[in-house]
Amino acid sequence: VNLAERVARVNWYHTMELPGGIVTPGRYDTRAVPRRLPFPASLTGMRCLDVGTADGFWAFEMERRDAHEVVALEVSHAGSWDWPAPGPSGTHRRNGPDNAERAFSIAAEALRARARPVEMTVYDLSPGRVGQFDFVFVGSLLLHLRDPVGALTAIRSVTRGELLSADSVSIWMSLAAPRFAAASLRAVGDPTWWTPNVAGHRRLLRAAGFEVIEGGGIFFIPAGAGYERIRFQREALHPHRLALRIGMKLLGAPSTWARAIPAPSGTA
Ligand SMILES: C[S@@+](CC[C@H](N)C(=O)[O-])C[C@H]1O[C@@H](n2cnc3c(N)ncnc32)[C@H](O)[C@@H]1O
């Protein structure tokens, strides 16, 4: 089976350019996103960790920047997710990690990547299990977790250098209460738990013992060719969700980023 056929057989989260002019039909198109973040231009000699790697886009970006070693963390069965029971959209099923694992290996093989896939939930990260890392990326994961502070605390335990966190935020809560750390809770019939505002994102990091050294405003992660069609008739029953979907399609997923380092103990 050739590469194009293998690519066509799985659902893709990431849009990635593979050899032979093949572009994976990702649900999201993160290709331009590294330029919008302070993603280090060089990771030469560093041990790097990508938490919740999905199809591996960020892990492969680390490798491209000469990381010495890249560990790509993922959970490969839906039972290990915090996501509540499948919602009406069922999208998180279709794009489930079983599939992502396969997409990851197809991409890794095609790109001759050395990133090491590790099967582990973020909550289980510990220096004893995986060692420590000079650079850690966690992208669009916190919103899917019941306990984002617990996850960040585990990430902190394996961060000896710097963390770059880029995650979904609520636009309206960021505008309405810029100085107030807040989060909205969905959690029912929807694969997201908490959506903080920008201040809330920083607060989650600090609550987990990180010191935020730089933070950005809101940027958008564009939808890709694989983003599902909007089914207006069905979604019309849920105006809020319909508005989110249209916004997603047109602008992308509103997100923010922050660079953080482990705070000296006691000062978090
Ligand atoms: C929305 S995707 C984001 C992918 C990628 N990090 C990015 O920023 O483009 C979230 C990924 O995290 C994975 N995930 C969900 N729960 C997890 C957990 N408890 N531990 C580790 N990964 C998890 C999902 O399987 C999915 O691949």
Side-chain angles (χ1 to χ4, degrees):
V1 189
N2 69 29
L3 181 59
E5 284 170 31
R6 287 173 72 200
V7 166
R9 278 185 195 168
V10 299
N11 290 312
W12 291 83
Y13 181 88
H14 287 132
T15 304
M16 289 185 283
E17 291 164 21
L18 304 183
I22 295 169
V23 179
T24 63
R27 211 171 160 226
Y28 291 94
D29 189 348
T30 45
R31 285 178 293 174
V33 178
R35 291 193 291 272
R36 294 175 203 163
L37 302 178
F39 200 78
S42 166
L43 292 167
T44 307
M46 294 193 190
R47 253 199 117 216
C48 299
L49 172 67
D50 180 23
V51 185
T53 197
D55 307 345
F57 175 86
W58 294 98
F60 306 143
E61 285 296 313
M62 290 169 174
E63 238 178 287
R64 208 163 278 152
R65 288 158 168 79
D66 291 325
H68 173 67
E69 187 190 343
V70 177
V71 171
L73 208 78
E74 181 55 75
V75 287
S76 73
H77 61 98
S80 303
W81 289 353
D82 280 358
W83 296 0
S89 75
T91 51
H92 51 303
R93 273 264 162 106
R94 270 210 327 278
N95 292 281
D98 287 334
N99 164 71
E101 196 69 59
R102 287 165 54 212
F104 179 95
S105 27
I106 294 169
E109 196 184 310
L111 295 168
R112 296 179 200 278
R114 292 171 298 112
R116 181 160 61 93
V118 167
E119 172 72 32
M120 189 188 293
T121 173
V122 58
Y123 299 113
D124 286 347
L125 280 171
S126 74
R129 288 200 165 122
V130 292
Q132 289 199 304
F133 296 89
D134 304 299
F135 177 67
V136 179
F137 179 79
V138 58
S140 305
L141 173 62
L142 301 179
L143 79 159
H144 296 305
L145 300 178
R146 179 164 28 207
D147 179 7
V149 176
L152 286 168
T153 304
I155 291 174
R156 179 183 180 271
S157 76
V158 299
T159 306
R160 68 179 169 214
E162 194 176 304
L163 168 72
L164 176 60
S165 162
D167 230 281
S168 288
V169 284
S170 154
I171 301 180
W172 74 266
M173 280 201 302
S174 300
L175 297 175
R179 286 168 198 283
F180 192 76
S184 86
L185 173 64
R186 286 208 221 128
V188 178
D190 188 304
T192 56
W193 282 92
W194 307 96
T195 311
N197 63 359
V198 171
H201 173 252
R202 313 297 193 252
R203 185 66 65 94
L204 291 173
L205 290 162
R206 288 174 54 205
F210 279 103
E211 179 186 332
V212 175
I213 54 175
E214 192 188 357
I218 293 178
F219 69 98
F220 291 88
I221 299 178
Y227 194 81
E228 62 269 37
R229 280 188 312 112
I230 301 175
R231 278 161 287 193
F232 285 95
Q233 277 172 354
R234 204 170 75 184
E235 303 282 11
L237 297 171
H238 308 276
H240 178 65
R241 210 163 61 209
L242 179 61
L244 281 178
R245 286 217 173 279
I246 294 172
M248 264 298 318
K249 203 73 170 178
L250 296 178
L251 290 169
S255 308
T256 191
W257 61 262
R259 292 169 58 211
I261 54 173
S265 18
T267 63

